[in-house]
Amino acid sequence: MKTRVTELLGIEHPVIQGAMAWVANASLAGAVSEAGGLGIIAAGAAPLAWIEEQVRIARSMTDRPIGVNVMLMNPEAPEVAKLLANLKVDVITTGAGSPSAYIDMWKEAGSKVVPVVASSALAARMERLGADAVVAEGCEAGGHIGELTTMALVPAVCDAVSIPVIAAGGIADGRTMAAAFALGAEGVQVGTRFLTVDECTVADAYKDRVIAAKDSDTIVTGRAGGHPVRGLKNAFSRNVRTLEADPSCDPRELEALYAGSLRRAVEGDVVRGSMMAGQSAGIVYERKTAREAISEMIGQAEALGMRSLEELAQANADRTPMQRGA
Ligand code: TUI
């Protein structure tokens, strides 16, 4: 499957692995890139030395392109931005803010720049400033989210820009990938599905929860504070919700709950950990390798995409009980 996204990024399949803070390290990113997608290391709030080392490890795992994501809410983002320019990273994606201050520096370093956006206004601004493509991420996604659904956002972003659009939020298999392409996307970014693959180093307990999750097992916290985050329902997210609903709540109490909560989840604390995951957890049924996950998605999407609408409906009806998670 060739699109402007595969051409631009120099990859075989138009599947990009979403950056997941504390989750997306060299082990996952290297495996996804080697399998023909684009693996992305999440810089998150990690020390510069860790980021540099993960880039080195990922590069030793594959000759194919590797990406790094900058989380712009991180106070150290300016230093991370400079490091990535020095390392001449193939692809830089950004999240949770506008990367306008860094785009020129990254382009001069030869990197492809792909900001994640949650509105068509920001997408258009990114195109004007020289972005090579954008990821349009709907609020079905896990982690920090915007307001719009993938269904509403992706076609609006496609209409607002001429650079290629990569859809994200709710995409985890061939059906959802084909749907994203029907909306105008030329690539997909997939997070939750890759969280459960063998090469992802998070604790089995976290993967098991994602696989067991049904469609309504995620919840959004942090809306009141202006930083909405989607994750699996558990004691942590329920406690956060309870505190947020209490007008007499001391903000320090919330901060204490949040402190270290991502790391706890990754280490397997499914009670007190913040288990970020998207709504597509409801259609992730089994563990696979990164390569298997990518080829299954591409195979299903191509089969669906080549048909008339009537044949498409039949192809979906023909899904086996295993494919339906039964
Ligand atoms: O960034 C993400 N997802 C994330 S970042 C993250 S790390 C974190 N950890 C703890 C608490 C909160 C976050 C976890 N998940 N996705 C990309 C994304 N970007 N979604 C939405 C946006 C976004 C929202 C507003 C981008 C830009 C924006 O406005 C920028 C502006 O200045 O106009």
Side-chain angles (χ1 to χ4, degrees):
M1 206 188 286
K2 263 204 173 117
T3 68
R4 285 192 295 166
V5 169
T6 56
E7 297 287 308
L8 172 74
L9 304 178
I11 56 179
E12 195 181 335
H13 307 299
V15 176
I16 291 165
Q17 165 242 314
M20 299 169 275
W22 289 100
V23 173
N25 56 16
S27 171
L28 179 60
V32 170
S33 284
E34 183 57 16
L38 181 74
I40 296 192
I41 295 163
L48 297 182
W50 182 89
I51 300 165
E52 193 165 353
E53 166 154 57
Q54 296 302 307
V55 170
R56 188 181 57 70
I57 298 172
R59 282 176 171 166
S60 76
M61 294 168 66
T62 181
D63 293 331
R64 296 177 164 197
I66 298 275
V68 180
N69 173 272
V70 184
M71 209 277 278
L72 294 162
M73 280 189 326
N74 174 14
E76 314 279 328
E79 286 72 34
V80 177
K82 278 187 216 121
L83 172 69
L84 299 186
N86 289 338
L87 293 175
K88 301 192 179 300
V89 167
D90 302 301
V91 183
I92 301 175
T93 69
T94 62
S98 165
S100 47
Y102 312 120
I103 294 180
D104 288 345
M105 174 175 71
W106 289 335
K107 302 284 304 173
E108 273 162 38
S111 303
K112 303 291 184 220
V113 179
V114 185
V116 179
V117 301
S119 70
S120 59
L122 187 60
R125 214 166 101 220
M126 293 300 102
E127 177 174 47
R128 279 200 303 278
L129 294 175
D132 295 287
V134 289
V135 175
E137 186 184 277
C139 59
E140 296 93 323
H144 177 66
I145 52 173
E147 286 292 335
L148 296 170
T149 60
T150 301
M151 183 77 95
L153 177 69
V154 172
V157 170
C158 289
D159 288 350
V161 300
S162 343
I163 52 178
V165 175
I166 297 159
I171 299 161
D173 61 12
R175 293 170 295 173
T176 44
M177 179 174 181
F181 274 57
L183 297 176
E186 291 177 66
V188 291
Q189 182 188 270
V190 173
T192 303
R193 177 80 190 263
F194 282 124
L195 193 144
T196 64
V197 299
D198 296 340
E199 297 90 339
C200 176
T201 54
V202 305
D204 283 345
Y206 193 165
K207 295 182 182 179
D208 291 344
R209 283 296 178 101
V210 170
I211 286 168
K214 299 293 171 217
D215 49 3
S216 40
D217 285 339
T218 72
I219 186 172
V220 178
T221 53
R223 274 225 161 89
H227 297 298
V229 168
R230 182 181 301 284
L232 295 181
K233 289 177 181 169
N234 67 351
F236 166 81
S237 54
R238 273 190 291 271
N239 287 340
V240 170
R241 270 288 186 101
T242 307
L243 278 180
E244 283 175 345
D246 175 2
S248 66
C249 156
D250 182 342
R252 280 172 303 187
E253 237 184 294
L254 256 177
E255 267 169 47
L257 261 185
Y258 276 121
S261 60
L262 273 178
R263 181 184 200 146
R264 281 198 292 276
V266 162
E267 289 171 353
D269 184 345
V270 299
V271 178
R272 294 173 61 244
S274 165
M275 304 177 71
M276 293 186 183
Q279 290 180 327
S280 70
I283 56 166
V284 174
Y285 302 120
E286 47 181 351
R287 290 225 199 150
K288 289 206 179 313
T289 63
R291 184 177 296 278
E292 287 165 348
I294 292 173
S295 17
E296 188 189 79
M297 276 188 82
I298 297 288
Q300 291 171 345
E302 280 187 331
L304 289 169
M306 298 309 289
R307 294 162 198 251
S308 68
L309 285 180
E310 192 183 309
E311 284 171 318
L312 232 160
Q314 190 59 50
N316 259 321
D318 287 343
R319 282 157 41 79
T320 63
M322 181 54 145
Q323 286 172 320
R324 279 187 270 113

